[in-house]
Amino acid sequence: MSKQVIVITGASSGFGALTARALARAGHTVYAGMRATEGRNAAAVADAAQFAKDNNVDLRSVELDVASDASVVSGIARIIADAGRLDVILHNAGHMSFGPAEAFTPQQFAELFDVNVLSTQRVNRAALPYLRRQGRGLVVWVSSSSSRGGTPPYLSPYFAAKAAMDSLAVSYASELTRWGIETSIIVPGAFTKGTNHFAHSGSPDDTARAAEYNEGPYKGVPEQALQGLAALEPADADAGAVAAAIVDVVGKPFGTRPFRVHIDPSEDGAEIVNGVADRVRAELFRRIGLEDLLKPAARN
């Protein structure tokens, strides 16, 4: 396995922090992207630096606010200046919300889409030119089983955003293969332990509208949804399995990386539905004469 230069968005905690450390341990140079590195995430920066020192690995933090064009451009430019290249883009940044869909304002939906979807476009526009010039690279997208699996109520803004991000990943995949750039979509299930995803989830701004649901015919549904998800999750479910899967994908030889990897201990059905959808996509490409776009072409 060759040493890769990797940037991970949203790496201050959760899957991002776990993956940054796992990839660094595997021998890669890893830039843990996060916002407010001198403010709210200063402790996360210090933790990453201590981890790098204690384990003698190359884990670095970089200011990368995925909601800011300027921050993303600056962060990617700094990585290139530091390392001289960039091999892997890892889209992990995301935010969750919980509550009845009607109680979220359009602005809240827009903010969720900005963090979960538009952030990937910002990073791609800043980083892909470097990968295309190199003629080799990998884009890893951390999707969610919610994009196609069984989905409980009260998580609609997040689920809609993740479905949009997954769709964008699929579209990008075939537009990058002739540049020598591979795509892998990582599909975690609903890990209710091991990350702050649920603990830090947003809530509806329209509290009066939410109360109409929660104190009316949908009384008890929020608790049942969360308890039900937790009950589906096996006792030995480990969020670190997502990081391990990403390390495995990055470490595979060029041209052999899987298009999708599911890590879903609760088995909500996403792997079945995605399997059908991805086969339909491949068949359409064959029918229209663009089958070569399904596999990356080496350019160097």
Side-chain angles (χ1 to χ4, degrees):
M1 179 192 68
S2 61
K3 182 176 183 177
Q4 306 286 301
V5 176
I6 302 168
V7 62
I8 306 178
T9 65
S12 63
S13 63
F15 291 142
L18 290 170
T19 302
R21 285 156 174 72
L23 284 167
R25 273 185 165 160
H28 302 292
T29 295
V30 182
Y31 287 85
M34 58 188 90
R35 61 178 174 169
T37 52
E38 296 181 356
R40 59 178 291 184
N41 283 321
V45 171
D47 287 346
Q50 190 63 50
F51 179 90
K53 181 179 179 181
D54 292 344
N55 294 275
N56 192 29
V57 297
D58 197 354
L59 173 61
R60 317 175 190 185
S61 297
V62 61
E63 177 72 28
L64 200 73
D65 181 353
V66 295
S68 163
D69 289 354
S71 178
V72 168
V73 169
S74 174
I76 296 299
R78 177 186 158 187
I79 293 169
I80 299 298
D82 272 359
R85 71 178 203 273
L86 178 60
D87 304 303
V88 181
I89 303 167
L90 208 167
H91 294 302
N92 168 77
H95 188 58
M96 182 179 283
S97 58
F98 187 81
E102 187 185 336
F104 288 96
T105 65
Q107 180 61 31
Q108 285 186 287
F109 265 82
E111 290 169 357
L112 258 292
F113 271 72
D114 194 19
V115 172
N116 290 284
V117 187
L118 299 185
S119 66
T120 66
Q121 182 68 355
R122 291 188 181 96
V123 174
N124 279 351
R125 282 182 53 80
L128 283 176
Y130 296 103
L131 272 65
R132 289 192 291 106
R133 281 196 290 271
Q134 290 170 181
R136 183 69 63 91
L138 169 66
V139 184
V140 179
W141 306 70
V142 180
S143 180
S144 167
S145 66
S146 65
S147 63
R148 284 209 171 103
T151 54
Y154 276 39
L155 286 155
S156 64
Y158 176 72
F159 286 171
K162 275 299 186 181
M165 191 268 262
D166 191 286
S167 180
L168 186 61
V170 170
S171 294
Y172 255 112
S174 60
E175 296 181 13
L176 294 175
T177 51
R178 288 185 181 176
W179 293 103
I181 299 171
E182 292 181 275
T183 292
S184 279
I185 303 172
I186 308 299
V187 189
F191 285 88
T192 60
K193 302 183 293 291
T195 74
N196 293 321
H197 225 32
F198 283 89
H200 292 171
S201 62
S203 57
D205 280 350
D206 191 339
T207 55
R209 195 78 58 97
E212 291 180 32
Y213 278 80
N214 298 335
E215 296 171 11
Y218 281 78
K219 186 177 180 63
V221 165
E223 294 79 11
Q224 181 61 45
L226 293 176
Q227 291 168 9
L229 278 177
L232 286 179
E233 189 175 346
D236 61 352
D238 179 10
V242 176
I246 294 173
V247 171
D248 181 63
V249 166
V250 171
K252 288 185 180 298
F254 177 81
T256 69
R257 288 158 173 147
F259 184 63
R260 280 190 195 273
V261 178
H262 293 79
I263 309 96
D264 181 17
S266 300
E267 299 181 347
D268 67 10
E271 188 164 5
I272 297 170
V273 180
N274 276 327
V276 173
D278 292 340
R279 286 195 298 274
V280 168
R281 168 180 174 266
E283 178 59 24
L284 175 66
F285 275 55
R286 282 190 284 270
R287 290 171 61 195
I288 64 176
L290 289 173
E291 186 175 1
D292 74 291
L293 299 185
L294 296 172
K295 290 291 183 180
R299 290 175 58 84
N300 58 20

mmCIF file of all heavy atoms in Angstrom, residues 192-210:
data_model
loop_
_atom_site.group_PDB
_atom_site.id
_atom_site.type_symbol
_atom_site.label_atom_id
_atom_site.label_comp_id
_atom_site.label_asym_id
_atom_site.label_seq_id
_atom_site.Cartn_x
_atom_site.Cartn_y
_atom_site.Cartn_z
ATOM 1 N N THR A 192 -26.094 4.525 16.885
ATOM 2 C CA THR A 192 -26.591 5.427 17.931
ATOM 3 C C THR A 192 -25.579 5.606 19.064
ATOM 4 O O THR A 192 -25.793 6.409 19.965
ATOM 5 C CB THR A 192 -27.913 4.895 18.525
ATOM 6 O OG1 THR A 192 -27.690 3.599 19.099
ATOM 7 C CG2 THR A 192 -28.984 4.788 17.442
ATOM 8 N N LYS A 193 -24.491 4.848 19.009
ATOM 9 C CA LYS A 193 -23.421 4.965 20.000
ATOM 10 C C LYS A 193 -22.097 5.148 19.274
ATOM 11 O O LYS A 193 -21.912 4.704 18.155
ATOM 12 C CB LYS A 193 -23.346 3.697 20.873
ATOM 13 C CG LYS A 193 -24.631 3.364 21.608
ATOM 14 C CD LYS A 193 -24.481 2.143 22.499
ATOM 15 C CE LYS A 193 -24.260 0.861 21.700
ATOM 16 N NZ LYS A 193 -25.444 0.451 20.951
ATOM 17 N N GLY A 194 -21.162 5.805 19.940
ATOM 18 C CA GLY A 194 -19.821 5.942 19.385
ATOM 19 C C GLY A 194 -19.586 7.226 18.607
ATOM 20 O O GLY A 194 -18.453 7.521 18.212
ATOM 21 N N THR A 195 -20.648 8.002 18.359
ATOM 22 C CA THR A 195 -20.511 9.316 17.725
ATOM 23 C C THR A 195 -21.442 10.290 18.444
ATOM 24 O O THR A 195 -22.261 9.891 19.267
ATOM 25 C CB THR A 195 -20.892 9.282 16.232
ATOM 26 O OG1 THR A 195 -22.317 9.184 16.106
ATOM 27 C CG2 THR A 195 -20.248 8.109 15.510
ATOM 28 N N ASN A 196 -21.317 11.570 18.106
ATOM 29 C CA ASN A 196 -22.200 12.592 18.694
ATOM 30 C C ASN A 196 -23.346 12.960 17.756
ATOM 31 O O ASN A 196 -24.016 13.974 17.948
ATOM 32 C CB ASN A 196 -21.387 13.860 19.007
ATOM 33 C CG ASN A 196 -20.380 13.622 20.103
ATOM 34 O OD1 ASN A 196 -20.649 12.922 21.072
ATOM 35 N ND2 ASN A 196 -19.189 14.202 19.953
ATOM 36 N N HIS A 197 -23.539 12.133 16.725
ATOM 37 C CA HIS A 197 -24.504 12.440 15.684
ATOM 38 C C HIS A 197 -25.883 12.755 16.246
ATOM 39 O O HIS A 197 -26.481 13.794 15.960
ATOM 40 C CB HIS A 197 -24.582 11.252 14.728
ATOM 41 C CG HIS A 197 -24.566 11.655 13.291
ATOM 42 N ND1 HIS A 197 -23.883 12.755 12.822
ATOM 43 C CD2 HIS A 197 -25.160 11.103 12.211
ATOM 44 C CE1 HIS A 197 -24.046 12.861 11.524
ATOM 45 N NE2 HIS A 197 -24.821 11.875 11.126
ATOM 46 N N PHE A 198 -26.400 11.850 17.061
ATOM 47 C CA PHE A 198 -27.736 12.047 17.616
ATOM 48 C C PHE A 198 -27.718 13.063 18.756
ATOM 49 O O PHE A 198 -28.623 13.886 18.881
ATOM 50 C CB PHE A 198 -28.308 10.709 18.103
ATOM 51 C CG PHE A 198 -28.804 9.830 16.983
ATOM 52 C CD1 PHE A 198 -27.966 8.938 16.354
ATOM 53 C CD2 PHE A 198 -30.127 9.903 16.557
ATOM 54 C CE1 PHE A 198 -28.415 8.129 15.311
ATOM 55 C CE2 PHE A 198 -30.593 9.113 15.516
ATOM 56 C CZ PHE A 198 -29.728 8.217 14.900
ATOM 57 N N ALA A 199 -26.674 13.019 19.571
ATOM 58 C CA ALA A 199 -26.595 13.928 20.718
ATOM 59 C C ALA A 199 -26.552 15.389 20.296
ATOM 60 O O ALA A 199 -27.089 16.271 20.978
ATOM 61 C CB ALA A 199 -25.377 13.593 21.564
ATOM 62 N N HIS A 200 -25.908 15.682 19.163
ATOM 63 C CA HIS A 200 -25.750 17.060 18.699
ATOM 64 C C HIS A 200 -26.742 17.438 17.604
ATOM 65 O O HIS A 200 -26.572 18.452 16.936
ATOM 66 C CB HIS A 200 -24.322 17.279 18.189
ATOM 67 C CG HIS A 200 -23.285 17.239 19.273
ATOM 68 N ND1 HIS A 200 -21.935 17.228 19.006
ATOM 69 C CD2 HIS A 200 -23.416 17.201 20.624
ATOM 70 C CE1 HIS A 200 -21.264 17.184 20.158
ATOM 71 N NE2 HIS A 200 -22.141 17.162 21.145
ATOM 72 N N SER A 201 -27.771 16.637 17.412
ATOM 73 C CA SER A 201 -28.721 16.915 16.333
ATOM 74 C C SER A 201 -29.511 18.191 16.595
ATOM 75 O O SER A 201 -29.771 18.556 17.746
ATOM 76 C CB SER A 201 -29.684 15.738 16.154
ATOM 77 O OG SER A 201 -30.446 15.527 17.323
ATOM 78 N N GLY A 202 -29.866 18.876 15.504
ATOM 79 C CA GLY A 202 -30.643 20.096 15.613
ATOM 80 C C GLY A 202 -32.124 19.799 15.833
ATOM 81 O O GLY A 202 -32.581 18.665 15.668
ATOM 82 N N SER A 203 -32.858 20.817 16.184
ATOM 83 C CA SER A 203 -34.298 20.669 16.430
ATOM 84 C C SER A 203 -35.058 21.766 15.681
ATOM 85 O O SER A 203 -34.471 22.776 15.278
ATOM 86 C CB SER A 203 -34.597 20.750 17.927
ATOM 87 O OG SER A 203 -34.111 21.968 18.471
ATOM 88 N N PRO A 204 -36.354 21.582 15.480
ATOM 89 C CA PRO A 204 -37.128 22.562 14.699
ATOM 90 C C PRO A 204 -37.173 23.934 15.361
ATOM 91 O O PRO A 204 -37.314 24.056 16.578
ATOM 92 C CB PRO A 204 -38.530 21.951 14.652
ATOM 93 C CG PRO A 204 -38.359 20.510 14.968
ATOM 94 C CD PRO A 204 -37.197 20.435 15.896
ATOM 95 N N ASP A 205 -37.056 24.977 14.531
ATOM 96 C CA ASP A 205 -37.201 26.338 15.043
ATOM 97 C C ASP A 205 -38.647 26.654 15.399
ATOM 98 O O ASP A 205 -38.917 27.447 16.318
ATOM 99 C CB ASP A 205 -36.704 27.343 13.999
ATOM 100 C CG ASP A 205 -35.185 27.478 14.005
ATOM 101 O OD1 ASP A 205 -34.536 26.947 14.934
ATOM 102 O OD2 ASP A 205 -34.642 28.114 13.073
ATOM 103 N N ASP A 206 -39.567 26.069 14.679
ATOM 104 C CA ASP A 206 -40.988 26.314 14.940
ATOM 105 C C ASP A 206 -41.455 25.359 16.032
ATOM 106 O O ASP A 206 -42.046 24.303 15.779
ATOM 107 C CB ASP A 206 -41.796 26.104 13.657
ATOM 108 C CG ASP A 206 -43.237 26.609 13.789
ATOM 109 O OD1 ASP A 206 -43.707 26.742 14.942
ATOM 110 O OD2 ASP A 206 -43.893 26.844 12.754
ATOM 111 N N THR A 207 -41.178 25.748 17.271
ATOM 112 C CA THR A 207 -41.477 24.866 18.402
ATOM 113 C C THR A 207 -42.986 24.689 18.609
ATOM 114 O O THR A 207 -43.424 23.621 19.061
ATOM 115 C CB THR A 207 -40.843 25.413 19.689
ATOM 116 O OG1 THR A 207 -41.275 26.764 19.898
ATOM 117 C CG2 THR A 207 -39.324 25.391 19.586
ATOM 118 N N ALA A 208 -43.755 25.707 18.262
ATOM 119 C CA ALA A 208 -45.211 25.588 18.408
ATOM 120 C C ALA A 208 -45.765 24.532 17.456
ATOM 121 O O ALA A 208 -46.617 23.713 17.825
ATOM 122 C CB ALA A 208 -45.875 26.936 18.149
ATOM 123 N N ARG A 209 -45.237 24.515 16.221
ATOM 124 C CA ARG A 209 -45.672 23.524 15.236
ATOM 125 C C ARG A 209 -45.229 22.123 15.674
ATOM 126 O O ARG A 209 -45.972 21.152 15.539
ATOM 127 C CB ARG A 209 -45.079 23.865 13.871
ATOM 128 C CG ARG A 209 -45.719 23.141 12.693
ATOM 129 C CD ARG A 209 -47.049 23.753 12.291
ATOM 130 N NE ARG A 209 -46.949 25.156 11.928
ATOM 131 C CZ ARG A 209 -46.854 25.610 10.679
ATOM 132 N NH1 ARG A 209 -46.841 24.754 9.669
ATOM 133 N NH2 ARG A 209 -46.807 26.913 10.443
ATOM 134 N N ALA A 210 -44.026 22.035 16.221
ATOM 135 C CA ALA A 210 -43.535 20.740 16.701
ATOM 136 C C ALA A 210 -44.396 20.229 17.841
ATOM 137 O O ALA A 210 -44.695 19.028 17.925
ATOM 138 C CB ALA A 210 -42.083 20.869 17.158
#
